[in-house]
Amino acid sequence: MKKFIFILLLPLTLFAQNLNGRFSSSAYTFERYDTNEDSKSYIRTYQSLYLNLNKSDYSFRTRMNFAADVSESMINDPRYRVYNLYFTARNIFNVATLKLGRQPVYNSVGSGSFDGAFLKIGKSGYYFKAYYGGNVPAYQKLEITDDFANDYVLGGKFEISAFKDFHIALDYVDKNFKPYEYEALRLDENLNPVSVLIRNNSNKFKFASAKVSYFKEDELYLRTKAEYDINYEELSKFEFSARVEQIENLGIDFYYNYREPKIRYNSIFSVFNFGNTQEIEGGVDYSFTTTLSAFAKYGYVKYEDDNSSRLNLGVNTCVGSLSYRKTFGYAGELDALSLSTSKSFLDGMLTPSVALSFIQYKLSEDDDSNDLVTLLAGVNYKPFRKFTIDFQTQYLNNKIYSNDVRFLIKLNHWFNSNLDIL
């Protein structure tokens, strides 16, 4: 992997015309109790980097994070994560884009990253995309899988946007997970414990999906999507959403969702009984002025043998927002009131903010209620256009965390430079 990084980075470093990105450094303090009386204080530090090197139609992009504790060492410290690390070539023969390396992917079995290749070919509103690579190891380690035959993601998508206001997409994804062997104690025919090597079959997802959307600005938005589980030969998910804005300042939303649990093929979880859910939500929002609006939403979820509901009400202004949320039924009983506000001063140099919430919840109607109070207070200081400092205090109080106080400080530096190396 390190050789691969060097091969990608060296030519772009030598010939890059532009370098841009963001570097962040933050420290987060908290206290952890090992027993009721003994506790330790931690100062967790995070360093993150977004880096782009560009040369006309060629780019190198990376996103990485380094975390460690400076007071009390934690398990697996220090931890280095590489989320993205890939090379992009655009406008190949005026029709293709190629990406190589660790890159993000979006499909019906979740979003994430993979180590491999992505190819996009198309023109004039017709595009075909294909990708193949290995699954990223746990904690985004800088390693590549050693078993591409059993630990891979393979997919393709055909998209049509040539028709006015319409977008159509057909998608296929095959994601397989490498089986891991382990030893476990089992009883033999004489009921004596013996060590047995457990070898599981590969666990995989295999889905086909179709999506159609229609968008007419300031009037109507429609979107529908269906996912089919090829392994289990059943409809896995169906979504429909709509937004109507034909009345001035008024928006009307509708959402429907049918979903089967996503269970890996050959997984032990497939032997258990499970049911689907259906979800319906409707809402309205109205803008009284350019700086004042209100919204209301109601949702209903149907489980196999039960149901639950939720209600959201809120007001948004130029200085903050106020919202109320209530859930009741199978998902639990909850009442939550949230308030947040922020205001910039000195031409944006200083921006204080405060967020406060009161929550009362219980698992069922007959259970005792639990109260939760959270408070966030902070300030964003921007002495220069490309540099900011964030300070934040976090307070939480409930029956598990009593008067818990934490602190966060974060430094951000944006950079964008044109290079003339050669």
Side-chain angles (χ1 to χ4, degrees), residues 25 46 84 101 106 133 155 160 180 183 212 228 246 258 285 289 299-300 322 331 337 346 361 390 403 415:
S25 180
Y46 301 89
N84 295 327
Y106 305 93
I160 301 174
Y180 290 93
E183 292 187 351
V212 179
Y228 183 78
Q246 291 181 327
Y258 169 90
D285 57 82
T289 67
Y300 175 85
L322 174 66
L337 184 66
L346 303 176
Y361 62 95
D390 289 282
N403 297 319
F415 51 90

Side-chain angles (χ1 to χ4, degrees), residues 243 247-251 284-289 292-296:
R243 179 171 175 83
I247 301 176
E248 186 178 4
N249 299 326
L250 178 68
V284 296
D285 57 82
Y286 188 82
S287 299
F288 300 94
T289 67
L292 176 62
S293 63
F295 67 88

Side-chain angles (χ1 to χ4, degrees), residues 180-225:
Y180 290 93
E181 299 178 354
Y182 62 93
E183 292 187 351
L185 289 177
R186 297 291 186 267
L187 298 179
D188 63 12
E189 62 274 11
N190 298 318
L191 301 181
N192 295 316
V194 294
S195 182
V196 178
L197 179 64
I198 306 298
R199 291 178 174 173
N200 293 322
N201 295 322
S202 295
N203 295 319
K204 64 172 59 180
F205 290 119
K206 190 179 290 186
F207 286 86
S209 65
K211 181 176 70 173
V212 179
S213 61
Y214 172 84
F215 176 71
K216 194 169 185 63
E217 189 174 2
D218 297 329
E219 290 188 22
L220 180 64
Y221 173 71
L222 300 173
R223 177 183 178 273
T224 184
K225 181 180 180 180

Side-chain angles (χ1 to χ4, degrees), residues 343-351 380-384 388:
K343 179 69 174 178
S344 294
F345 300 93
L346 303 176
D347 295 327
M349 179 182 294
L350 207 61
T351 306
N380 174 269
Y381 177 55
K382 189 176 182 180
F384 312 107
T388 63

